Amino acid sequence: MLRPLHQSWRVRLPALAGGLFVLMVISGFVGVALVMLLSGPVAGLEVFADPVVRSVLGFTLWQALLSTLLSVGLALPFASALARQPSFPGRPWLIRLMAVPMGLPVLIGALGLIGVFGRNGLVNQLLSWLGVSQPVSIYGLSGILIAHVFFNLPLAARLMLSALERVPAEYWRSAASLGFSPLSTFRFIEWPVLARVIPGAAGLIFMLCVTSFTLVLVFGGGPAATTIEVAIYQALRFDFDPVRAVSLACVQITVTGCVLAVLSLLPVAGDSGTTSGRGYVRFDGHRPLVRLVDGLMLVSGGLFLVLPLGQVVVSGLRADLVRLVEQEAFQQAALTSLMVSLGAGLAATLGAYLIIAARSQLSGHTSLTWTARLFSIGLAGASSLVLLLPTSILATGWFLALRPHGDIADFAPLVVVGINALMALPFAVRVLGPAFSEHRDRTGRLCESLGLSVGQRLRFVDWPALRRPLLTALAFAMALSLGDLGAVALFGSENITTLPTLIYAQMGSYRSNDADGLALLLGLICLVLALIGAPGTSPGSLAKERVHAG
């Protein structure tokens, strides 16, 4: 909580005006999409009588439920083993590895999973060597579940591990002195802690799986394995049926609204960032059988995460990278991706700064008018609006809005930048917020006593201290935008082809070797951005950003 400062209106007004400007821009951008969706020929409640819509809705909820159960169910023993073995070789690297899927472009992870679980992948080759004739299929429901577990198991495990590491050391010493068995330790110490984390983590993962687009597009997409997001895309891009797209969008808004309402009732699955491998003693992890089982669990979990990532690197190096880089299609897609991500990153970072600055002027005051309270709530909600309105909903609304005014491809870059900026805004707010709060607590009263103007404060006080957090927020926002396929898939054309759309096109043309090479190049670009933004960001904060951003 920021301490209230008795600043003059000369200082407060620019910050409040900036927040109001951002709120108006976001409201206008989202409002246009919503008005177009709701003013069109919506089917109403009778849409639920459509067997196709019911089938899509049923599959969306079913795959999200199964993905959540598998992710949380597998994360629980994995996190327990990690907590029980603080001296396991490579444990810090394993914890760092768990952060990679959370920041990895989804399409790269999908290619890695195809390399491991595909028809000619490592798993099926091993099964064939063992004499199993029926290969594992990566496509359909099974592939969607594997992919969702790959991306969400690390998130759930980090949240659980963070909770277990916050248990006081006296608890473990008491359990050892009382001779607790592993089952008793889990029942009386671990489960009460995990039970407070699991509902929030499960709700968050369910929300992520309900709004999943790229993974379902790659591994599903057929009539029997289509979610609402993919069905909207297919209705507009292939069937050109705006009425069905609008009806599906309204169904999606209803579903996400209900899930968010339930999520608001659950305890927040926070991560305090204590998963960096700090030393503590777990006496229950010294038994040989426990150490063996924990070791097998950690090795299996580590292989599940590292094999797809390694497959991307190995397959990418097999491609003719020099030829790919020299191709005009790659150069154009890379340039477009960088321009779109830079625009989205700058917009998200500036918007996040203005929102945080405005909220800081309102926080801590107990005598706010109802207008000021409403303004503060609006600023908080604007930064997380993408949770309620996924990118496909916004893209559908703007698709309908721009269609009467000509070729939508002409407007595509601006719309994609806007949607990606809105998608990255929660991340930027989470990165900048703590740094801004700490900086304001340190310098606010001094600046007030010196009577610095807004310009002097920005130049001599704020910029030197917040330059690094701003760069971090920009880098993460750009990396997030670089890997996005959702918004650009709807507007993609010869006028705007990004690296993810180029990779997806190569996959659709069965040029998997080129797709692997392009995925490696995209991964290297994201890695450079992550390294630029990494200093000053703890591994735990990444999980926290994902938790709050969804």
Side-chain angles (χ1 to χ4, degrees):
M1 178 70 69
L2 295 177
R3 293 176 299 168
L5 298 176
H6 303 289
Q7 294 175 330
S8 65
W9 280 104
R10 183 177 59 89
V11 177
R12 298 180 63 187
L13 193 58
L16 296 176
L20 180 62
F21 173 75
V22 174
L23 187 60
M24 292 175 62
V25 170
I26 293 177
S27 300
F29 187 80
V30 175
V32 169
L34 276 181
V35 167
M36 293 308 301
L37 286 173
L38 299 178
S39 63
V42 186
L45 292 177
E46 56 268 27
V47 68
F48 291 99
D50 188 333
V52 176
V53 173
R54 284 209 308 269
S55 173
V56 171
L57 176 60
F59 181 80
T60 301
L61 298 177
W62 178 239
Q63 61 85 23
L65 177 63
L66 290 179
S67 299
T68 304
L69 291 176
L70 287 173
S71 299
V72 175
L74 294 174
L76 195 152
F78 188 70
S80 295
L82 266 177
R84 211 164 23 237
Q85 305 297 334
S87 301
F88 185 77
R91 183 179 184 272
W93 288 103
L94 188 55
I95 293 174
R96 291 188 181 97
L97 178 66
M98 290 160 59
V100 174
M102 291 188 285
L104 186 72
V106 176
L107 206 52
I108 296 179
L111 277 170
L113 290 171
I114 291 174
V116 175
F117 296 96
R119 179 172 292 275
N120 299 316
L122 298 176
V123 172
N124 280 323
Q125 289 181 14
L126 178 61
L127 292 176
S128 177
W129 182 74
L130 293 174
V132 179
S133 58
Q134 187 68 28
V136 174
S137 175
I138 189 64
Y139 297 102
L141 178 61
S142 58
I144 293 172
L145 295 181
I146 292 173
H148 280 162
V149 171
F150 173 76
F151 280 98
N152 294 318
L153 183 150
L155 171 63
R158 285 179 68 93
L159 294 172
M160 295 180 191
L161 178 61
S162 176
L164 290 173
E165 288 190 339
R166 288 197 296 269
V167 174
E170 292 77 12
Y171 283 37
W172 309 120
R173 285 198 290 269
S174 299
S177 64
L178 293 173
F180 274 18
S181 65
L183 182 60
S184 299
T185 302
F186 177 79
R187 178 183 176 186
F188 295 109
I189 299 180
E190 292 183 323
W191 178 246
V193 174
L194 294 174
R196 293 196 293 268
V197 177
I198 288 177
L204 174 62
I205 292 173
F206 186 83
M207 183 72 179
L208 292 174
C209 295
V210 163
T211 57
S212 176
F213 174 76
T214 303
L215 292 177
V216 179
L217 186 65
V218 172
F219 296 113
T226 297
T227 58
I228 300 175
E229 295 258 329
V230 176
I232 294 173
Y233 165 76
Q234 292 171 338
L236 288 179
R237 292 291 294 180
F238 300 125
D239 303 333
F240 201 70
D241 188 349
V243 176
R244 177 175 292 276
V246 170
S247 300
L248 289 168
C250 293
V251 172
Q252 179 74 320
I253 293 175
T254 304
V255 171
T256 53
C258 292
V259 175
L260 281 178
V262 174
L263 273 176
S264 65
L265 303 177
L266 300 177
V268 177
D271 181 356
S272 63
T274 56
T275 57
S276 57
R278 65 182 175 88
Y280 60 96
V281 179
R282 284 288 301 265
F283 301 98
D284 56 328
H286 292 170
R287 300 175 184 177
L289 181 59
V290 174
R291 296 183 69 174
L292 176 62
V293 173
D294 287 346
L296 290 175
M297 175 62 67
L298 295 180
V299 170
S300 301
L303 287 176
F304 179 68
L305 295 178
V306 78
L307 281 180
L309 301 177
Q311 182 65 28
V312 171
V313 176
V314 172
S315 300
L317 291 176
R318 288 176 183 165
D320 190 349
L321 296 179
V322 176
R323 178 181 60 81
L324 290 176
V325 171
E326 291 177 347
Q327 285 181 348
E328 184 180 355
F330 168 79
Q331 296 172 4
Q332 186 62 41
L335 180 62
T336 303
S337 291
L338 289 174
M339 292 178 64
V340 168
S341 63
L342 180 61
L346 288 173
T349 305
L350 178 61
Y353 179 84
L354 293 177
I355 287 176
I356 294 170
R359 291 195 68 193
S360 72
Q361 298 298 331
L362 299 172
S363 63
H365 294 276
T366 57
S367 58
L368 291 178
T369 63
W370 67 271
T371 306
R373 292 180 188 277
L374 193 63
F375 182 40
S376 180
I377 294 173
L379 289 172
S383 61
S384 302
L385 201 57
V386 74
L387 291 177
L388 178 63
L389 302 171
T391 55
S392 64
I393 304 298
L394 297 173
T396 303
W398 275 98
F399 183 93
L400 298 174
L402 296 175
R403 191 163 56 102
H405 302 288
D407 188 358
I408 60 169
D410 296 336
F411 308 98
L414 291 177
V415 177
V416 173
V417 167
I419 293 176
N420 283 353
L422 199 57
M423 181 178 63
L425 186 60
F427 286 77
V429 169
R430 296 300 170 186
V431 172
L432 275 178
F436 186 93
S437 176
E438 182 180 355
H439 171 67
R440 181 175 179 268
D441 279 351
R442 286 179 177 175
T443 62
R445 296 185 183 282
L446 177 61
C447 293
E448 183 181 2
S449 64
L450 294 176
L452 296 180
S453 66
V454 174
Q456 290 171 327
R457 174 165 182 157
L458 286 175
R459 180 181 177 185
F460 298 111
V461 181
D462 291 344
W463 174 248
L466 298 178
R467 181 172 50 194
R468 171 55 62 184
L470 285 168
L471 183 60
T472 301
L474 175 62
F476 280 117
M478 286 185 65
L480 189 67
S481 177
L482 267 175
D484 175 63
L485 180 64
V488 76
L490 200 60
F491 289 91
S493 68
E494 63 278 4
N495 289 348
I496 177 168
T497 300
T498 62
L499 284 176
T501 56
L502 184 60
I503 294 172
Y504 185 68
Q506 299 293 340
M507 293 171 65
S509 304
Y510 299 101
R511 303 175 69 175
S512 57
N513 198 31
D514 286 354
D516 291 333
L518 292 171
L520 179 61
L521 294 173
L522 175 60
L524 290 175
I525 295 174
C526 292
L527 178 63
V528 171
L529 288 174
L531 292 176
I532 292 174
T537 304
S538 67
S541 65
L542 288 176
K544 188 183 295 183
E545 290 148 23
R546 174 79 183 269
V547 167
H548 291 281

